[in-house]
Amino acid sequence: MRAALFDRYGPPEVLYEGKVPIPAIGDDELLVRVRAVSVNGGELIVRSGGLPSWLMRGPFPRRTGLDFVGEVAAAGPATSGHAVGDRVWGLLSEKPDASGQALRSLAEYVVVRPDQIAAAPRSLSPVEAVTLPVGGLTALLALRREAGLRPGESVLVRGAAGGVGSAVVQVAKTLGAGPVTGLAGAGALDFVSGLGADRAVDYRRTGPDGLGTFDVVIDTVGTDLSDFRRLLAPGGRMVTVRFDTDRTIRSLGTIAASAIHGDRRIRFFRGAPDPALLAELARMVDRGALRPVLDATYPLADAAGAHRRLEEGGVLGKVVIDVEGT
């Protein structure tokens, strides 16, 4: 099968289309024919070699891709709930296998467990649907579980035009937040307002000191965390889904040190596959409460172009790879 591979860490150009065997499934696993995959910021960091060396283990060639939309192609005898031909979406676990690598999704087929997938939205194409699993799942977990968002509470979304931030704005409004303020570049302010934000602010013109206070801050950028924690109202909660990899120790130190502030500490988490939440997201999509935001589409053969587009910045929503596209 075709898959995106890289033989060394470096710029987007290290990615190429190669051939690997179609993976075999175990009794409790499913084989999914992948139709579309999105590009996520963490994948750029791994491909470039931007993580500490002790995290970059595993042999080359390496692969990329975290989420996927496709159809079940084969099902092990111990699985239930999904039949061959069902359209599904999901996320792969980041837990490494015996070789030191985690399974990746940017290929024609991927092996998954039933607890990593759910039925995909009926109202979207695969390319549209794959814009939502990572951002939507992260938004639900950050707002509901980590922040404990209550109806009527004010929310600040940092990085509101990106793949995760654009989902956070929409999910916050769906959960009854208000008002919701989105931080983005000047060229994306109308876009962020169109997602439902009550206020869209150019982060280059207005610094943290000019934003006011908020009950909940959701940070998808990862820098200057202490400055944004200071915007919390009494009893406020801040959640970050990213930290500054250029200053890893400092960022992690800031998050750890914030624990002295009790409820106003900075919470950091990494999303994990959750079929119940993926099913909830699909229902939100099909009733019109959550819409896909597609910035650009690339074929598998130009995975490098997709990574390059995300690295350029100014992306509105998600960059997607159409695995069957040419």
Side-chain angles (χ1 to χ4, degrees):
M1 67 174 181
R2 297 181 300 135
L5 308 171
F6 59 102
D7 296 325
R8 60 183 176 88
Y9 298 119
E13 289 71 26
V14 301
L15 287 169
Y16 65 93
E17 181 186 301
K19 293 285 189 178
V20 298
I22 296 176
I25 61 171
D27 288 350
D28 60 347
E29 295 177 322
L30 301 151
L31 183 68
V32 173
R33 174 69 183 266
V34 178
R35 303 297 182 182
V37 173
S38 82
V39 182
N40 298 283
E43 296 155 33
L44 306 186
I45 296 169
V46 172
R47 187 221 68 233
S48 67
L51 292 177
S53 58
W54 55 275
L55 289 174
M56 304 298 289
R57 54 185 202 143
F60 289 108
R62 296 188 73 117
R63 292 170 54 182
T64 189
L66 177 63
D67 52 18
F68 57 90
V69 175
E71 295 91 35
V72 176
T79 61
S80 61
H82 301 284
V84 172
D86 286 352
R87 178 184 285 183
V88 296
W89 67 350
L91 303 174
L92 297 179
S93 170
E94 297 195 74
K95 182 179 179 180
D97 61 17
S99 73
Q101 293 199 50
L103 291 175
R104 300 293 88 188
S105 62
L106 189 45
E108 291 183 296
Y109 292 91
V110 66
V111 171
V112 299
R113 301 185 311 273
D115 63 0
Q116 295 175 297
I117 62 173
R122 298 184 301 272
S123 57
L124 300 181
S125 70
V127 166
E128 293 170 325
V130 84
T131 64
L132 292 169
V134 169
L137 186 63
T138 300
L140 276 175
L141 289 171
L143 290 163
R144 183 187 289 161
R145 187 188 72 183
E146 299 295 325
L149 176 70
R150 296 182 286 269
E153 288 192 310
S154 59
V155 176
L156 172 67
V157 183
R158 192 172 175 218
V164 174
S166 60
V168 174
V169 170
Q170 295 184 74
V171 172
K173 295 300 293 185
T174 297
L175 296 180
V180 173
T181 298
L183 283 181
L189 298 183
D190 288 344
F191 168 77
V192 172
S193 295
L195 295 172
D198 300 283
R199 182 168 63 132
V201 179
D202 180 356
Y203 71 91
R204 293 187 181 92
R205 294 179 61 89
T206 304
D209 292 342
L211 293 172
T213 59
F214 302 89
D215 298 307
V216 173
V217 174
I218 305 296
D219 183 282
T220 73
V221 179
T223 59
D224 305 315
L225 297 177
S226 294
D227 292 339
F228 285 88
R229 190 198 63 77
R230 296 188 187 100
L231 306 185
L232 292 175
R237 292 85 70 202
M238 177 174 174
V239 180
T240 183
V241 299
R242 187 173 179 181
F243 60 85
D244 185 359
T245 56
D246 291 334
R247 299 175 178 85
T248 301
I249 301 301
R250 179 178 177 182
S251 294
L252 292 175
T254 299
I255 294 168
S258 75
I260 66 174
H261 298 284
D263 288 344
R264 297 176 70 198
R265 73 185 188 278
I266 302 170
R267 297 161 171 86
F268 173 74
F269 79 101
R270 299 292 297 272
D274 186 317
L277 290 183
L278 287 169
E280 181 178 354
L281 285 174
R283 292 191 294 271
M284 291 172 66
V285 171
D286 285 336
R287 70 171 186 262
L290 182 62
R291 66 179 176 87
V293 184
L294 178 63
D295 180 272
T297 307
Y298 293 81
L300 174 57
D302 192 19
H307 275 229
R308 190 181 308 113
R309 170 65 189 128
L310 187 56
E311 284 190 349
E312 288 171 350
V315 170
L316 304 181
K318 295 288 285 188
V319 175
V320 168
I321 297 175
D322 183 350
V323 175
E324 295 191 312
T326 57

